[in-house]
Amino acid sequence: MCWYKLIFKQKQPIHIGKFEWGVVSETEIFIPGWTMWGALVNAYIKKNKINDINKIEEIQRYFETITNFFPSFDGENILEPKYKKGNFYLGDYSEEKFRYEYVRADFKTSIEPISRKAKDEHLYEFEYIIPKFYWIGLIKIENEEIKKFLKDENPEIFIGGDSKYGYGLLELENFKEAKIDLKNWNLNDDGKLNVDNKTLRNFLEFKKDLKFEGELKLLGEFNFNQSIPVLTNAKYFLNIGSKINDLDLNYFLKKGKFIKNDV
């Protein structure tokens, strides 16, 4: 088992679902671990034409020890999440400045599925991140076939919404061992929390009496095996960029979130 750094080159605009404010479909400005997990699983399953549900669930587990992914201009250094005076930043960019320089919006309309005509009063604004960046994160791999897929095939994946309309394409450009990077991502080799870097790059499950500087987020988990996604769980997490102080280290990484291990 080994940790690897994945460096993707953004080929198309990407929209990462965040909030819908009235007619505005806002994008997130980083890629959550669960989003990257889903994209990698889908790419592997399609490439290998896997249909067996038990095999799919096994593949899902192989990819789930994965961090969030952050933008990079040079393919080496990420715009690290942090808070300054209560405001969220990526590197030296406040969220407001990042959105002003690198997020654009298109106007779209919902379509009637049979007539293919535009629905009345269904015009909305669709935000996306322009194809300016590399996207970098870490993954732990314990299966040689998964390693071969990433190392030798440089897979293309699709992130977020509207992939049929020219959005979401990323291509894996570099795959390399990442052991020396682990502490910067709040990680030990076994995937448990390390607080040498007190600024979080992954979400942290909130427990009472936890001392921190930053922000709480309510994150939901959904079952997408049905036509309409079903909310299966919701918990509060410390947001990325928050700083932690005194902390029990018995947390483990799963899809960009540190989950409390109560066993």
Side-chain angles (χ1 to χ4, degrees):
M1 294 185 290
C2 192
W3 287 93
Y4 295 92
K5 178 183 286 188
L6 304 183
I7 303 171
F8 286 90
K9 179 64 176 177
Q10 184 180 342
K11 298 293 187 178
Q12 295 177 343
I14 57 175
H15 170 85
I16 307 155
K18 184 180 182 183
F19 294 115
E20 292 190 4
W21 303 100
V23 297
V24 178
S25 183
E26 188 177 24
T27 184
E28 189 56 89
I29 58 173
F30 70 100
I31 303 176
W34 57 86
T35 300
M36 184 61 77
W37 166 81
L40 287 168
V41 168
N42 286 338
Y44 186 87
I45 289 172
K46 288 180 179 179
K47 193 269 176 185
N48 292 281
K49 300 179 181 179
I50 299 172
N51 296 311
D52 179 76
I53 185 63
N54 293 322
K55 182 64 174 177
I56 290 174
E57 290 176 352
E58 181 182 12
I59 297 302
Q60 289 174 335
R61 290 192 293 272
Y62 286 147
F63 282 100
E64 69 182 14
T65 308
I66 190 169
T67 68
N68 299 309
F69 280 63
F70 297 98
S72 167
F73 290 113
D74 59 8
E76 291 291 336
N77 304 291
I78 66 167
L79 300 182
E80 184 169 358
K82 57 191 172 185
Y83 281 86
K84 289 183 181 180
K85 298 180 180 179
N87 296 313
F88 182 74
Y89 277 71
L90 286 178
D92 294 328
Y93 291 84
S94 67
E95 180 168 2
E96 181 180 357
K97 182 179 179 182
F98 185 93
R99 290 184 179 279
Y100 177 79
E101 295 198 14
Y102 303 113
V103 174
R104 303 290 183 267
D106 283 342
F107 284 96
K108 296 179 175 292
T109 186
S110 299
I111 303 295
E112 295 283 0
I114 297 177
S115 68
R116 306 303 297 166
K117 294 181 179 179
K119 291 182 180 179
D120 291 338
E121 299 180 359
H122 277 72
L123 184 68
Y124 64 97
E125 187 176 349
F126 183 86
E127 288 189 348
Y128 57 87
I129 302 172
I130 62 175
K132 179 78 174 178
F133 299 102
Y134 296 89
W135 294 86
I136 299 176
L138 307 186
I139 188 171
K140 190 174 187 181
I141 299 175
E142 57 184 12
N143 178 278
E144 285 299 316
E145 288 301 315
I146 301 297
K147 178 181 176 180
K148 185 176 184 298
F149 169 70
L150 295 171
K151 182 180 179 181
D152 298 340
E153 300 185 26
N154 298 107
E156 293 182 341
I157 62 173
F158 286 90
I159 290 291
D162 272 18
S163 62
K164 294 180 180 179
Y165 301 99
Y167 290 87
L169 178 61
L170 306 182
E171 181 180 6
L172 185 59
E173 188 165 287
N174 204 335
F175 173 89
K176 57 186 178 182
E177 288 195 23
K179 190 169 184 177
I180 61 173
D181 297 301
L182 293 183
K183 290 182 180 179
N184 290 331
W185 291 81
N186 323 115
L187 286 162
N188 290 315
D189 187 63
D190 59 2
K192 290 187 177 180
L193 178 68
N194 183 307
V195 294
D196 284 2
N197 177 11
K198 295 181 181 295
T199 301
L200 293 173
R201 294 188 183 180
N202 299 287
F203 294 98
L204 178 71
E205 184 178 352
F206 177 72
K207 298 293 183 180
K208 66 178 182 179
D209 301 325
L210 181 62
K211 297 179 180 179
F212 71 95
E213 300 173 22
E215 187 177 6
L216 282 178
K217 296 279 188 179
L218 180 62
L219 302 180
E221 294 182 9
F222 292 85
N223 180 351
F224 291 97
N225 294 328
Q226 305 177 43
S227 58
I228 300 177
V230 176
L231 179 67
T232 58
N233 195 8
K235 293 182 179 179
Y236 280 101
F237 287 78
L238 297 193
N239 194 28
I240 58 170
S242 298
K243 289 187 177 180
I244 47 179
N245 297 314
D246 299 332
L247 186 64
D248 174 5
L249 302 184
N250 200 22
Y251 289 75
F252 65 94
L253 180 69
K254 184 176 181 180
K255 304 176 194 174
K257 298 182 289 187
F258 282 113
I259 310 294
K260 177 68 174 175
N261 186 355
D262 294 320
V263 177

